[in-house]
Amino acid sequence: MALENPSSKSVAMDAALPRSFAAGYGHHVDRGLSLGGGGLFFVAWQVAYLSTLAAHGVLFETSDRVVGTSAGSVVASALTGGRLPRLHSEIKLLAKVPALVSALAPSANLHPSHQLALDLFTKAADSEPATVQAIGHAALAAVTPKPDVIQGNLSLVLGRPR
């Protein structure tokens, strides 16, 4: 079975396979931090949350492993690179300029490829592998910025040279 995406490319449904927890990725990891995705707003939430925890004495440096998906990977990079305070300051500054946030992360007029993934997610009636695969394939097929654009933007945000 294949899922058609808006760019008329077909994506094989069997490309997104469930993974076994027996793989042992966490072997010998006593303390870990896993950060999920969720776009710009979840970056802001995670940064504020982790900054508050750090201010109350939580030492993230004691984590054996820090991982993240999508937005969580940005926050994980800032955290492990010692840039969480900088990112927190930048987000507080952005919060004072809502028009800039709207320009950076528009929430209206989604690209059709993003709308397809969102529609599949909101209409999902179960969590069967086929349903999750369809949503995943639609998300993977979504039109996104070119890698060099993302790298440049993240370099600016995280304070790292390109």
Side-chain angles (χ1 to χ4, degrees):
M1 180 177 181
L3 173 72
E4 291 295 323
N5 73 30
S7 65
S8 74
K9 294 179 187 172
S10 182
V11 181
M13 288 300 288
D14 60 356
L17 300 172
R19 299 292 179 224
S20 168
F21 286 104
Y25 297 120
H27 192 64
H28 298 299
V29 175
D30 293 324
R31 291 186 186 106
L33 177 61
S34 178
L35 303 168
L40 181 61
F41 297 105
F42 205 56
V43 168
W45 183 89
Q46 286 182 19
V47 167
Y49 182 72
L50 295 175
S51 295
T52 301
L53 289 176
H56 285 88
V58 174
L59 301 174
F60 296 107
E61 302 84 33
T62 62
S63 297
D64 297 316
R65 190 166 296 155
V66 179
V67 298
T69 298
S70 193
S73 67
V74 173
V75 177
S77 295
L79 181 65
T80 59
R83 307 238 186 233
L84 189 66
R86 174 193 168 117
L87 187 53
H88 192 219
S89 296
E90 290 171 349
I91 289 172
K92 287 195 297 187
L93 181 63
L94 283 173
K96 295 178 182 177
V97 189
L100 181 57
V101 174
S102 293
L104 291 172
S107 58
N109 302 323
L110 293 176
H111 187 280
S113 62
H114 294 131
Q115 190 64 53
L116 173 63
L118 179 60
D119 290 346
L120 288 171
F121 176 75
T122 56
K123 293 175 184 174
D126 57 55
S127 59
E128 293 297 318
T131 302
V132 174
Q133 285 176 343
I135 295 167
H137 285 292
L140 288 171
V143 175
T144 58
K146 293 184 182 342
D148 60 328
V149 171
I150 293 173
Q151 181 182 7
N153 291 345
L154 290 176
S155 294
L156 287 172
V157 169
L158 295 174
R160 295 182 178 164
R162 289 185 86 179

